[in-house]
Structures are given as structure tokens and as C-alpha cells.
């Protein structure tokens, strides 16, 4: 299955982490998908959105983050089971019980420095490739939250993931970030690169003529593969970044037009992930069995037995 998606724009401030959070919870609550969120940002933004800060700090202190997995596999060349770093029972949406997380830590920046100093880029990419190959067989969708800018780790995700989504605001600076990303993608094509699943206009001011003009300009380039659905700028999207206790329903967290936009966007994404029909008349291969129903503690039987966030 081709189901790994890196969410990336070289420009910061376009709402990548919040979008990853909202898509993961929508795909789980509304579509019943097992979703793995991989937090590859040293700020650990999406990690802090999916669990309480004390629980995140506990995982960081106990060496159960993406950084610890990569240090073991890349810097120490030691065995490490990636499933040990997957956290279950995340999300404050009571009907999104099939969202899983590999959390991040600020030490990720120091890890990347060591990779560059020791010239371990090839090993890093091999580890990322093996991780995604295993995750594809366990989860329905894998969302990778990449930080702004370009680094050795981000490049590894982008070259090993199946697809990338590029969120952007409909303004000049954010669109320039897309151009930088496009130029980077054209470098060393022999090394492979994720396929463009689409450019997503995020945080759009629906009443702004200027943003409407930039949106039209993005739509005019077919290479962008712009999603039909945009995510409007809304208070609900700002509020959803704060982990809420006790849990709330999906429709309480993403009400009205915000929730409608996210559901329509998730449907577009799933449609683009579906394999193209066979070009020949040969019988199609049997489709993989769907995930089993969730067991009583909210964890799908097809998902890993992983660390609990609570």
C-alpha cells in the first residue's frame, strides 16, 4: 500500500502541525482509519496537541520518542523495535480512538547534527525506509509532520514517503516557500522523491480578495494538483491545538463549517490514495483485508500493542 504522507512546506506558519492533527482525528473518527502520526519536528508541536504535556515529558524522559529510536538505529547501529515508540490512547476526541503517535523531542536537532558530523546520511535514510515499510503494513494512513526548512531528516522522509502534501497560506511569502520546495525536489531526481499528493490552501481568509487572487494563481498551475477543498481560517482550528480534558466529541472540537471542510478534505485525500485501476484486462489482485473492529480498550486489533499515553 502507498499510504505514507509527508506534510511539508519550507515556509513556517502555514499550519502544518494543526492540519496533521485535524486530519488524523478526522480520518479516525469519521472514516474509521488506523492513523499513525510521526512527529519529526523538534518543537514536538503535534505531540503536545495529542497528549498532555506531563505525559509527553514522561515519554521524553523515559527515552520513548522518535529521537531515541533514531539514536539507537542510526548513531549506535543497535537493534530497536519501532513499535515500542508508538503511543496509543492519544487525542482528546472520544471517537478518534485509532490515532497513534511516535512523539518527538527537542534533542532531534542535536541528532541531526551528529548524523551530519559522522556522515551517516545513508544509514539514516535506510532506517527511515525500513520504518515506513513496516508501518505501511500496520496502519491505514501514516502522516509525517515535517518541520519548516530542509534538513537531513526531512529529506529522508521526503525521499522515502509515498506522497507529500504541501499546505500553504494564500499569500506571497507562503507561495514562495512552495517554489523553494519545488526547486529542492528537482535536485538529484535519481535519488527518488515522494509524489505530490496535492497543494492545500490552509488558513484562508474567505473574505479577502488578495487571498482569492493567490488561490486562483495556485489553481492555474496543474502541477500543484490543488485540493478542491480549502481549510478556512477559523477560531475552531486555533482552539483545536490545545489538548482538552476531559475528552470531547469530534463535532464539538471541529464544529460547523470547519468540520465540514476537514471531512471533505479527508475524502479527497483518501480518493487520491486509492490505486489507479489496472490498465490491462488481467484479473486484479485480491484486496487486503480491512482492519478488524476495535477491541474494548479502543485499540484496533490490526494496530500495534504500544505505549499508552494515559
Amino acid at each position: 500500500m502507498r499510504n505514507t504522507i509527508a506534510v511539508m512546506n519550507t515556509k513556517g506558519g502555514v499550519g502544518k502541525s494543526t492540519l496533521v492533527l485535524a486530519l488524523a482525528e478526522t480520518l479516525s473518527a469519521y472514516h474509521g482509519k488506523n492513523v499513525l502520526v510521526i512527529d519529526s519536528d523538534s518543537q514536538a508541536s503535534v505531540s503536545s496537541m495529542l497528549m498532555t504535556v506531563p505525559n509527553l515529558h514522561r515519554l521524553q524522559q523515559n527515552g520513548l520518542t522518535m529521537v531515541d529510536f533514531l539514536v539507537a538505529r542510526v548513531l549506535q547501529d543497535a537493534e530497536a523495535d519501532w513499535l515500542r515508540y508508538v503511543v496509543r490512547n492519544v487525542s482528546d476526541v472520544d471517537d478518534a480512538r485509532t490515532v497513534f503517535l511516535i512523539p518527538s523531542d527537542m534533542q532531534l536537532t542535536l541528532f541531526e547534527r551528529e548524523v551530519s558530523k559522522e556522515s551517516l546520511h545513508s544509514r539514516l535514510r535506510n532506517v527511515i525506509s525500513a520504518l515506513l515499510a513496516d508501518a505501511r503494513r500496520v496502519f491505514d494512513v501514516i502522516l509525517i509532520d515535517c518541520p519548516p526548512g530542509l534538513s537531513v531528516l526531512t529529506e529522508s522522509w521526503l525521499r522515502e514517503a509515498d506522497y507529500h502534501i504541501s499546505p500553504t497560506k494564500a499569500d506571497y511569502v507562503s507561495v514562495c516557500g512552495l517554489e523553494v520546495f519545488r526547486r529542492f525536489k528537482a535536485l538529484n531526481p535519481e535519488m527518488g522523491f515522494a509524489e505530490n499528493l496535492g497543494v492545500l490552501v490552509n488558513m484562508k481568509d474567505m473574505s479577502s480578495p488578495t487571498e482569492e487572487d493567490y488561490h486562483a494563481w495556485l489553481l492555474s498551475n496543474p502541477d500543484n494538483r490543488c485540493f478542491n477543498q480549502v481549510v478556512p481560517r477559523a477560531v475552531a482550528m486555533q482552539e483545536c491545538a490545545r489538548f482538552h480534558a476531559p475528552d470531547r466529541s469530534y463535532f464539538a472540537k471541529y464544529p460547523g463549517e470547519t468540520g465540514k471542510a476537514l471531512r471533505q478534505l479527508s475524502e479527497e485525500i483518501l480518493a487520491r490514495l486509492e490505486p489507479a485501476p489496472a490498465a490491462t484486462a488481467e484479473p486484479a489482485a485480491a484486496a487486503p483485508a480491512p482492519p478488524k473492529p476495535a477491541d474494548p480498550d479502543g485499540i484496533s486489533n490490526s494496530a500495534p500493542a504500544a505505549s499508552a499515553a494515559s
Side-chain angles (χ1 to χ4, degrees), residues 19-236:
L19 182 65
V20 168
L21 168 76
L23 284 176
E25 292 178 330
T26 301
L27 289 167
S28 173
Y30 195 71
H31 296 279
K33 301 296 184 182
N34 291 318
V35 184
L36 174 64
V37 174
I38 298 177
D39 191 349
S40 185
D41 191 337
S42 61
Q43 297 184 53
S45 296
V46 76
S47 298
S48 63
M49 295 176 191
L50 280 168
M51 67 176 71
T52 64
V53 172
N55 280 334
L56 176 58
H57 288 171
R58 176 175 55 83
L59 292 169
Q60 293 169 339
Q61 291 167 1
N62 292 340
L64 293 172
T65 71
M66 171 58 66
V67 183
D68 303 290
F69 169 76
L70 292 175
V71 166
R73 295 290 291 112
V74 179
L75 298 185
Q76 300 172 354
D77 197 18
E79 292 298 323
D81 184 359
W82 67 276
L83 291 173
R84 180 171 177 262
Y85 302 87
V86 177
V87 188
R88 58 179 178 148
N89 294 336
V90 296
S91 172
D92 60 359
V93 175
D94 56 15
D95 39 359
R97 293 277 68 95
T98 55
V99 177
F100 299 80
L101 170 71
I102 300 181
S104 187
D105 185 89
M106 64 184 299
Q107 301 295 329
L108 196 59
T109 300
L110 300 179
F111 163 78
E112 291 187 300
R113 184 185 303 170
E114 291 300 312
V115 168
S116 297
K117 185 171 69 174
E118 301 296 330
S119 299
L120 296 173
H121 305 81
S122 295
R123 184 184 294 174
L124 171 61
R125 184 169 173 184
N126 289 337
V127 168
I128 294 300
S129 177
L131 168 61
L132 293 182
D134 288 342
R136 285 184 186 97
R137 295 191 288 266
V138 179
F139 295 96
D140 298 314
V141 180
I142 297 97
L143 298 173
I144 306 156
D145 185 25
C146 297
L150 295 165
S151 66
V152 293
L153 180 55
T154 297
E155 181 177 0
S156 294
W157 293 120
L158 289 169
R159 294 201 183 276
E160 296 301 329
D162 301 307
Y163 300 100
H164 66 80
I165 288 177
S166 301
T168 183
K169 293 166 68 175
D171 60 28
Y172 175 74
V173 177
S174 301
V175 168
C176 286
L178 286 181
E179 180 58 28
V180 172
F181 185 36
R182 184 177 294 110
R183 291 167 58 188
F184 174 75
K185 183 176 180 179
L187 299 175
N188 305 114
E190 73 281 357
M191 296 175 64
F193 209 89
E195 179 183 340
N196 177 27
L197 196 63
V199 169
L200 168 65
V201 175
N202 192 29
M203 304 168 64
K204 181 181 177 181
D205 182 348
M206 307 301 285
S207 64
S208 169
T210 301
E211 294 200 12
E212 189 61 38
D213 288 343
Y214 274 109
H215 188 189
W217 184 82
L218 289 166
L219 288 168
S220 68
N221 184 350
D223 291 339
N224 287 330
R225 299 194 67 208
C226 289
F227 287 97
N228 295 323
Q229 182 61 53
V230 305
V231 178
R233 184 177 304 160
V235 173

Side-chain angles (χ1 to χ4, degrees), residues 241-255:
R242 181 175 59 87
F243 188 90
H244 187 276
D247 291 351
R248 46 188 163 169
S249 71
Y250 174 84
F251 291 101
K253 186 170 185 177
Y254 303 106

